[in-house]
Amino acid sequence: MSEFPIQRMRRLRMNPAVRRLVQQTHLRPSNFIMPLFVRSGEGIRQPISSMPGQFQLSVDQLLQETQKADSLGVGGVILFGIPNSKDPEGAVASHDNGIVQEAIRAIKSDTPNLLVITDLCFCEYTDHGHCGILTESNGQVTVDNDLTLPGLGAQAVSHVQAGADLIAPSGMMDGMVGAIRSALDGGGFQDTPIMSYAAKYSSAYYGPFRDAAESAPHSGDRKTYQMDPASAAAQALREVELDLQEGADMIMVKPALAYLDIITRVNQTFPGVPLAAYNVSGEYSMIKAAAASGWLDEQQVVMETMTAIRRAGAEIILTYWAMELAEQLSSC
Ligand code: PBG
Ligand code: ZN
């Protein structure tokens, strides 16, 4: 093929109309899922200092956000609960009158068509802040994988009984998807899908979230269950493959920006599986901080970031900007 001056790449960049015509990556409000933090009380809208613009909300305040999400056409909301009491096993996580269960019922009676997803884990409910039940072996305290599984099943059933549309287990326990699938099927909920946090890395980018959800581990870290960022991409593919075998309907990669290669590999290897990416709290707060200093344009950087995650291969993005993005996209 003849090269320059016959081929001129700039021809298709000459004006907005032609750029729009040949644009290959598109974002819609329904691509985005809004994470929301709910706690008990009334009239509570407690700012999260490490996540400017995000709040811990009581149910009445939460409904203002979910109404907005519904009318903006966002893909859904994902709920995180801050319970009143914690214990070593996180028992309140599966209580019918727990904070998440209460929130689901309130949202479903207010905006029945809004997709309600629940993050399914124990770290918000255990007094030690780990994602499961602790055990000690050879002087080392660690999360007991198999002891944790039944509780995950019970928590899933209680979320679905309250009205949740989709369950998203985030604890990185081996066999968690299978345990949840069989608990749901046993409860008559064989039609409720599971979106697995399949490739979830042990990441320092979760820092601000742990303030928001009051879920930081009191000692140690999550490295015995979350993935090592230094592991090869093929390990993520094994995690995804196992979750699919256990019955996962959708897959998530988390965090997003430092793991775009993983998003691409998962998408190329499992092209028929809906793929989500979580643009996590640290990714949010970094841009917020830079924008607050006047160092970059928040709106433009956010759109570019979401485009990159979408282009890498994730069609669904969990992001604290979901509402703003939906607003921006529906006005252009
Ligand atoms: C719970 C959970 C975490 C996040 C989502 N679900 C934190 C963690 O694993 O410690 C992080 C989300 C974010 O940083 O925005 N397991
Ligand atoms: Zn957890």
Side-chain angles (χ1 to χ4, degrees):
M1 201 188 273
S2 317
E3 287 175 15
F4 181 79
I6 304 295
Q7 294 293 334
R8 290 182 180 271
M9 297 304 285
R10 291 182 55 190
R11 284 183 197 124
L12 296 181
R13 298 174 193 149
M14 280 306 165
N15 61 53
V18 79
R19 286 197 295 273
R20 193 180 58 187
L21 182 70
V22 301
Q23 179 186 339
Q24 289 174 311
T25 305
H26 298 272
L27 298 170
R28 287 172 283 120
S30 61
N31 293 130
F32 299 108
I33 292 169
M34 179 70 196
L36 293 168
F37 301 98
V38 59
R39 67 178 312 150
S40 64
E42 232 193 287
I44 296 175
R45 182 171 276 270
Q46 171 75 33
I48 298 159
S49 59
S50 54
M51 299 179 71
Q54 304 300 313
F55 304 85
Q56 293 181 345
L57 304 162
S58 53
V59 172
D60 56 305
Q61 298 293 308
L62 178 79
L63 291 182
Q64 296 183 7
E65 302 303 312
T66 50
Q67 282 161 12
K68 204 168 134 200
D70 189 46
S71 64
L72 286 169
V74 305
V77 296
I78 182 165
L79 302 179
F80 296 94
I82 298 126
N84 282 334
S85 68
K86 306 194 185 203
D87 64 47
E89 311 205 329
V92 289
S94 346
H95 282 184
D96 192 43
N97 57 359
I99 183 62
V100 164
Q101 288 81 351
E102 220 178 273
I104 299 166
R105 279 191 297 265
I107 297 169
K108 278 291 162 187
S109 69
D110 190 44
T111 49
N113 296 325
L114 178 66
L115 187 85
V116 175
I117 307 169
T118 54
D119 178 275
L120 188 85
C121 201
F122 277 110
C123 48
E124 290 130 56
Y125 302 94
T126 51
D127 53 12
H128 45 74
H130 277 287
C131 301
I133 297 171
L134 295 184
T135 158
E136 197 181 325
S137 72
N138 299 328
Q140 207 206 331
V141 176
T142 180
V143 172
D144 188 312
N145 191 87
D146 298 9
L147 261 186
T148 301
L149 297 179
L152 290 173
Q155 196 186 149
V157 168
S158 104
H159 288 174
V160 178
Q161 271 167 349
D165 296 299
L166 175 56
I167 300 295
S170 67
M172 289 299 285
M173 295 300 123
D174 288 319
M176 69 179 183
V177 173
I180 292 165
R181 184 71 272 157
S182 68
L184 289 177
D185 291 359
F189 300 118
Q190 57 280 349
D191 293 329
T192 303
I194 297 172
M195 172 166 72
S196 179
Y197 286 69
K200 175 173 176 179
Y201 290 84
S202 174
S203 172
Y205 284 102
Y206 307 151
F209 172 94
R210 292 176 186 172
D211 294 341
E214 301 179 8
S215 64
H218 293 194
S219 68
D221 53 41
R222 305 208 199 291
K223 289 183 179 156
T224 67
Y225 38 104
Q226 298 179 346
M227 292 172 70
D228 183 351
S231 59
Q235 188 178 117
L237 301 180
R238 289 186 66 200
E239 288 280 2
V240 170
E241 190 173 20
L242 285 167
D243 283 4
L244 292 172
Q245 282 167 3
E246 290 174 31
D249 302 280
M250 299 166 66
I251 290 297
M252 195 197 300
V253 171
K254 178 187 173 196
L257 280 186
Y259 299 86
L260 292 176
D261 58 327
I262 306 299
I263 294 172
T264 300
R265 289 285 298 273
V266 170
N267 184 235
Q268 285 172 350
T269 310
F270 304 97
V273 179
L275 179 59
Y278 201 140
N279 176 236
V280 301
S281 57
E283 301 176 60
Y284 173 84
S285 301
M286 285 194 304
I287 292 177
K288 280 286 181 188
S293 300
W295 296 339
L296 46 74
D297 180 311
E298 179 175 343
Q299 207 170 330
Q300 288 186 38
V301 166
V302 169
M303 200 54 88
E304 184 177 335
T305 300
M306 299 304 148
T307 301
I309 298 170
R310 181 79 191 78
R311 192 186 61 232
E315 51 229 312
I316 299 155
I317 304 175
L318 291 83
T319 172
Y320 301 95
W321 281 293
M323 311 268 240
E324 274 125 303
L325 283 157
E327 221 158 1
Q328 221 176 307
L329 288 166
S330 48
S331 71
C332 70

